[in-house]
Amino acid sequence: MSAYVSAFELFSIGIGPSSSHTVGPMRAAADFARRVSGSPGVARVTCVLYGSLGATGIGHGTPDAVVAGLQGRHPDTVDPDAVRSAWSDWPEGRDLLLDGSLPMPFAKSDIAFEPRTRLPQHPNAMTLTALDARGEVLAADTYYSVGGGFIRREGEAAAVRHAVFPLSFSSAEELLALCDEQGMTIAEAARRNEEVLRSEEEVAAGLDGIWDAMAGCVDAGLHAEGVLPGMLKVKRRAAVIRRQLEEAESDGHRELPGEWLGAFALAVNEENASGGRVVTAPTNGAAGILPAVAMYWWRYLADSGLGVGNAVTPHGELVGSALFGFGAAQAITTGSVGVPEEAIADANRRRGIRRFLLTATALGSLFKANASISGAEGGCQAEVGSACAMAAGGLTAVMGGTNRQVENAAEIAMEHHLGLTCDPVGGLVQIPCIERNAIAASTAVTAARLALRGDGSHYVSLDQVVETMRQTGIDMSHKYKETSEGGLAVNVIEC
């Protein structure tokens, strides 16, 4: 079975602050509500949050997400304001509309927390129960939020969708061999798999939609002021840094791309921490890294001509793949009539972003299949480490790197996040999470530049690093897996 996961599952548009603690539980609650709302006699629904969901659920907005899901709301379409405080501010005596239609009594106490109870299949577990008017159980299901917004219902048959992908691989070694055999890039292999589910035009449009959501999140965060929710009262910094950088560049007529890179990442993760609209990439806790690196390329490197692929000419001619441009880089001449230069530049940037996202998807699929992208399962190495590796590989691809340089960049990035713990202060996705994304974005760029200076050969393989991350996650104490029971979470005063 192939490790490949579609880009439209790995990069899902949702809300903050957590893919595993907000997006996943909302999806689970919505699924349960849909399945039981039509059953006769349902009069009440309860939920028990176990393990990490119980330990840091309040700080991550988990009970709010459960309430929203029970009402039939979904993370990709819900208004973030409808989720914020949905549980914490629930008025006494108010009915809940199950799946948006069936009214029933609901109280805050109908969601219970069992942080000390860890179910064997995954530390992010929740049980939803439907009761009749006498309190008799009509239906009960346990769901696991396995990272990145993905959920699994206990007893449900394993998904078989991976079998439909024509280019099957289960390791980086197999992926490289497959690309060698087919004479294609990693991004092109991912595109061919995507086209089993969607047309080429639909794939391109979908990737553009993901990028637009990412770019919109960066822009929103760069212009938002105030204090983040929660007892820490963390001040937003991205907007302040944006003004400082704009002033510095205006006065000195110089660009500060490295500092903008950090600002981009802070902007996304501050939006995430506030419960705003974000793209899971591959998780919410690590959501700032790929958008920051992609925006860095878009703004400062895209016009260098490196890795642009087959270009749109000023006459409007499309050379090679018009939507993806996987061929050799070609120069873009200017000064001719036809398509405006700005439109040409935008078209070529978008094709580069598609290549970036597809490359990152193939790499992220390996982490998800062979290790983990869940902080509650593998620590922050599984979230930020995976995202950093995906971003490093994506940047290497759009900078004209070979497949082996892409694999090398991902290996460098992941290797230097091994052992990274997940210890959020106060159970909030703020400290150290927000700054950690900015640092990892910088690491991704460094890893890409190192890989591009080599020929792709290196001593430690990406597969070896992925396996090491898996083993390290198993060895890591549960205190450092999104429980706020160790590390900074117990050594930093919350208020």
Side-chain angles (χ1 to χ4, degrees):
M1 181 177 291
S2 177
Y4 189 78
V5 177
S6 171
F8 303 103
E9 294 183 58
L10 201 61
F11 299 117
S12 59
I13 299 173
I15 63 169
S18 172
S19 52
S20 60
H21 286 58
T22 311
V23 175
M26 190 186 303
R27 287 176 173 162
D31 180 74
F32 185 77
R34 177 187 58 80
R35 291 189 306 102
V36 305
S37 61
S39 302
V42 176
R44 182 182 169 212
V45 172
T46 64
C47 177
V48 180
L49 301 172
Y50 298 106
S52 179
L53 292 184
T56 61
I58 292 179
H60 285 67
T62 305
D64 300 313
V66 170
V67 170
L70 289 175
Q71 293 172 313
R73 295 187 167 111
H74 298 272
D76 56 332
T77 56
V78 69
D79 181 347
D81 288 336
V83 183
R84 296 184 179 102
S85 304
W87 172 82
S88 55
D89 290 346
W90 187 267
E92 186 177 352
R94 176 184 170 186
D95 281 354
L96 181 146
L97 289 178
L98 187 68
D99 198 31
S101 60
L102 179 63
M104 62 181 55
F106 181 81
K108 290 175 65 175
S109 59
D110 288 330
I111 297 181
F113 302 84
E114 295 287 347
R116 300 296 181 185
T117 303
R118 297 170 62 84
L119 302 191
Q121 289 197 31
H122 198 278
N124 288 336
M126 55 189 285
T127 297
L128 291 146
T129 304
L131 308 163
D132 64 15
R134 298 187 306 275
E136 298 291 329
V137 174
L138 298 176
D141 280 304
T142 295
Y143 290 82
Y144 302 96
S145 183
V146 297
F150 292 88
I151 59 172
R152 184 175 68 244
R153 182 162 58 92
E154 191 171 87
E156 189 174 35
V160 296
R161 61 182 181 274
H162 301 304
V164 305
F165 293 124
L167 299 181
S168 178
F169 58 89
S170 60
S171 66
E173 182 180 8
E174 290 181 8
L175 175 59
L176 291 174
L178 175 69
C179 290
D180 286 346
E181 178 185 336
Q182 299 287 329
M184 64 177 62
T185 65
I186 290 172
E188 190 170 12
R191 177 177 66 89
R192 291 197 186 178
N193 280 342
E194 296 292 344
E195 287 176 4
V196 170
L197 306 174
R198 298 170 176 84
S199 69
E200 183 180 22
E201 292 76 16
E202 288 172 332
V203 173
L207 294 172
D208 287 351
I210 290 170
W211 169 242
D212 288 342
M214 286 180 169
C217 186
V218 171
D219 185 67
L222 287 174
H223 291 86
E225 308 278 355
V227 176
L228 296 174
M231 81 289 282
L232 301 179
K233 305 300 180 186
V234 173
K235 292 183 179 179
R236 286 179 177 260
R237 289 182 291 166
V240 174
I241 295 173
R242 171 187 58 80
R243 289 194 295 270
Q244 291 172 346
L245 293 176
E246 288 174 343
E247 183 178 352
E249 291 181 342
S250 175
D251 291 345
H253 302 289
R254 58 195 177 96
E255 291 185 336
L256 300 167
E259 294 190 47
W260 277 109
L261 173 68
F264 298 151
L266 292 180
V268 172
N269 284 87
E270 287 175 356
E271 280 296 288
N272 178 65
S274 72
R277 177 73 63 209
V278 296
V279 178
T280 298
T283 69
N284 282 26
I289 300 165
L290 277 106
V293 174
M295 184 63 77
Y296 170 82
W297 174 82
W298 176 285
R299 198 156 154 180
Y300 296 105
L301 303 176
D303 292 337
S304 68
L306 291 174
V308 171
N310 296 320
V312 180
T313 73
H315 295 287
E317 298 168 325
L318 302 176
V319 185
S321 174
L323 295 175
F324 294 92
F326 291 115
Q330 298 194 18
I332 303 176
T333 60
T334 59
S336 301
V337 295
V339 181
E341 284 185 43
E342 185 176 341
I344 296 169
D346 183 72
N348 286 326
R349 286 193 185 98
R350 283 193 173 273
R351 288 164 53 253
I353 290 295
R354 293 167 199 156
R355 187 173 187 174
F356 179 99
L357 292 174
L358 287 171
T359 304
T361 297
L363 296 171
S365 296
L366 295 173
F367 291 112
K368 185 178 186 302
N370 298 328
S372 177
I373 58 171
S374 167
E377 189 172 34
C380 200
Q381 60 170 1
E383 295 196 41
V384 164
S386 297
C388 183
M390 293 163 66
L395 180 60
T396 302
V398 296
M399 291 296 291
T402 66
N403 289 334
R404 280 169 174 74
Q405 287 173 320
V406 168
E407 185 260 358
N408 188 15
E411 179 274 321
I412 293 170
M414 185 68 244
E415 181 181 345
H416 298 290
H417 281 91
L418 291 174
L420 188 63
T421 58
C422 184
D423 49 354
V425 177
L428 300 168
V429 193
Q430 298 178 15
I431 300 174
C433 319
I434 296 172
E435 287 182 350
R436 185 167 285 174
N437 275 251
I439 299 301
S442 179
T443 299
V445 173
T446 299
R449 293 191 182 281
L450 286 173
L452 286 165
R453 290 295 181 183
D455 61 3
S457 61
H458 52 109
Y459 193 81
V460 179
S461 72
L462 177 58
D463 288 329
Q464 290 171 324
V465 172
V466 172
E467 173 59 15
T468 302
M469 190 258 275
R470 186 190 70 82
Q471 294 175 3
T472 303
I474 294 172
D475 294 339
M476 190 181 292
S477 168
H478 78 277
K479 294 191 303 181
Y480 302 110
K481 296 180 183 179
E482 214 163 356
T483 62
S484 290
E485 295 177 0
L488 286 175
V490 298
N491 287 300
V492 175
I493 299 174
E494 296 178 7
C495 58

